Amino acid sequence: MRLLNLFKIAFKAIVLNKMRTLLTMLGIIIGVASVIAMLAIGEGSKESIRATISNMGSNMITVKPGADVRGGVRRNASEMETLTFKDYEAIKAQTTLTSYISPIVNGSGQVINGSNNWPSTIFGVNPDYLNIKVVDLQSGSMFTNAEVQSAAKVALIGQTVVDNVFPDGEAPVGKMIRFNNIPFKVIGVLEEKGENTFGQDQDDVVVAPYTTVQKRILAIDHLNEVMASAISEEDAPNAVLEITEILRTQHKLADAEDDDFHVRSMEELISTFSSTSEMLTILLVAVASISLLIGGIGIMNIMYVSVKERTKEIGLRMAVGGKGADILMQFLIEAILISITGGILGVILGLGSTVFIEKFLNWPTSVALYSIIISFAVCAVTGIFFGWYPARKASALDPITALRYE
Amino acid sequence: MRKEIIKIEDLKREFTMGSETVHALRSISFDIKEGEFVTIMGSSGSGKSTLLNILGCLDQPTSGTYEIDGVKVKGLSRNELATIRNEKIGFIFQSYNLLPRTSAIENVELPLLYNSKVSTIERRERAIKALKMVGLGDRMNHTPSQLSGGQQQRVAIARSLVNNPVMILADEATGNLDTRTSYEIMSLFQELNKQGITITFVTHEPDIATFSNRTIVLKDGHIMQDYNNYNIQSAAEQLAKLPKEDH
Ligand SMILES: Nc1ncnc2c1ncn2[C@@H]1O[C@H](COP(=O)(O)OP(=O)(O)OP(=O)(O)O)[C@@H](O)[C@H]1O
Ligand SMILES: [Mg+2]
């Protein structure tokens, strides 16, 4: 009953000062809206990275030469020759947690078909590769183990390569192309995958037997990478440990020595990239929170002015029986009403700008319910926190002094 | 025997300002009985407002005892004092002290907002009744800026009546008004007094004192005189005798 009356009083004060209230709210509105929009952008890019990576094969495990240098000085992995075919064989022989495994060598060069010329990357792999990467074929077929044994000059090409070296729309399967002047017979076209989140064109590839690429193109006998596929996503972390053990034994590393290779599952890759985007999200949210804080200070400022301006009114309210607690509540409710209304408008504006960002800027966004709840709660707390001190000050006034105030 | 609304004894109020002590009230004692209309007079700085503030429970005496309507005020907390002000006292100020941009009826309702025993409907009814009593039944939705000084003071009087106080305290309630309007207000007070409401009225205009039945004169914080007025003037009659204004 009494609270309801105080509510009415506070509401009245807000209505009587519409313009001022609106300007005060603006800080809160912008703060809340930017927190929601920033979180939506951060959350959206995290989700899109996750989607891309699992599209690349979520069970995938990669083994690369050289120590894990995440965050440290990055050496050029292709210059390191510590990963050999023997390592691949050892893993293949001893692993229990992987289903597919392929050696990988890669290099770049020109794809040539007649007068058409296109720079691309060639991947030397074995037939397991398509299963590891979860890629199907549009046409043709994969090469066989026999063709790997014989280092046959056969290749599969991605759609981007098709578009550029077969511009006339002829079917590539069965045609001859050259990669760095080595002739290859096209035996298949890979299914289109498009760009990944990192902007790489996944269709700009040539895939051939690793033996052929090793001998005829790169003239090397080590491997650039070994790719495997864990039997399930849950087994991926254990498969990583298993492969690490196999390779440590294979490389005869003493306990004190660091790995001279690194094994990573997609899960780790996801967490690496997520943590980058998380950093970004934290940064964005920090900036947004500062504007929310400034909004809060705006409320405090306006409540101070309000208390000062209405000192006589406070004195009168006390003279006719208003208690300290009544005055405190009146101003506190006023501050909370301002911040909550600002919060509601901010949520609406935040959702609106999220839709705008998604539609017109084409950025992936995802509004999490928690971001709305959090920014709203922060808002209410801001109102209480920044409204408290001026309200407290008003309630502690001496009625006579307040009445005499001019 | 009529009930004593106010009983004060040996009341002192001192203000300490740095090393100096101002003795605003030095040993004041008197009673006010139910239904009295008392004016408190005295020169400027004699302690009238200080006394009225204590009577109105807005201020506490430095020493001495004070009882209002049988309640000992000494040692009450801020909240208990607020409740007494809310339920037993009606205040009227020289400068009206109405809430700006707020209608007359809402101004009158104000004291009842702080009384949870009064419902919204009852509050509105009582406010309307009080406004009618002061002759402003047709001005209920006007804001202070749309009312004359005299009308604003009437709203303030209605506000002081709305909680059915045991006593109305007025501090120079006619101080800002011209003679004619002052007399109108005084005749309203006399009417209210006839209906049994106890009134204590601070003024320094001797003609105002002639409308009351008792006058207490203060000087330097002492009671100089405290006398009954057996020749009470009727404010309404005085008003009629005033020369008509020509336009
Ligand atoms: N809060 C205060 N602090 C210090 N001194 C005060 C305070 N209030 C009143 N006084 C002093 O107490 C004395 C009495 O003041 P009071 O306001 O009661 O006079 P008054 O009779 O109402 O005068 P006026 O007719 O001018 O209104 C004055 O000397 C005044 O300076
Ligand atoms: Mg005074």
Side-chain angles (χ1 to χ4, degrees), chain A residues 4-5 21 30 68 77 119 149 154 176 206 212 217 269 351 369 377:
Chain A
L4 187 74
N5 289 343
T21 309
I30 292 172
D68 190 348
Q149 290 301 319
V154 290
M176 292 301 288
V206 177
T212 319
I217 299 203
L269 205 60
L351 294 179
L369 185 64

Side-chain angles (χ1 to χ4, degrees), chain A residues 16 312 317-318 320 395, chain B residues 78 85-86 97 101 114:
Chain A
L16 284 179
K312 221 178 162 118
R317 287 182 185 282
M318 287 176 160
V320 299
S395 72
Chain B
R78 266 172 75 102
R85 290 198 294 270
N86 188 243
N97 278 343
R101 293 184 291 168
Y114 296 103

Side-chain angles (χ1 to χ4, degrees), chain A residues 119-248:
Chain A
S120 189
T121 309
I122 193 163
F123 283 87
V125 302
N126 75 7
D128 277 2
Y129 181 75
L130 295 188
N131 296 319
I132 298 170
K133 292 283 268 186
V134 204
V135 198
D136 271 336
L137 295 182
Q138 290 183 37
S139 58
S141 57
M142 189 56 174
F143 47 78
T144 62
N145 278 320
E147 282 168 314
V148 172
Q149 290 301 319
S150 63
K153 288 182 268 185
V154 290
L156 296 93
I157 54 179
Q159 189 59 45
T160 304
V161 177
V162 173
D163 292 343
N164 285 286
V165 302
F166 294 99
D168 304 333
E170 43 185 330
V173 176
K175 299 280 174 357
M176 292 301 288
I177 56 166
R178 280 180 296 149
F179 190 93
N180 284 3
N181 280 329
I182 311 295
F184 282 89
K185 183 181 171 194
V186 179
I187 57 167
V189 178
L190 301 172
E191 153 191 75
E192 256 189 282
K193 281 214 150 183
E195 274 185 15
N196 65 14
T197 329
F198 319 115
Q200 291 168 326
D201 182 356
Q202 300 177 86
D203 301 323
D204 190 6
V205 289
V206 177
V207 175
Y210 69 91
T211 45
T212 319
V213 177
Q214 263 185 330
K215 279 181 211 153
R216 305 197 195 266
I217 299 203
L218 302 172
I220 55 170
D221 53 16
H222 64 268
L223 300 178
N224 295 121
E225 214 174 301
V226 173
M227 268 192 191
S229 175
I231 49 178
S232 73
E233 212 174 319
E234 296 77 58
D235 283 313
N238 286 328
V240 168
L241 296 176
E242 188 189 58
I243 292 170
T244 306
E245 265 324 296
I246 294 170
L247 283 181
R248 284 190 69 88

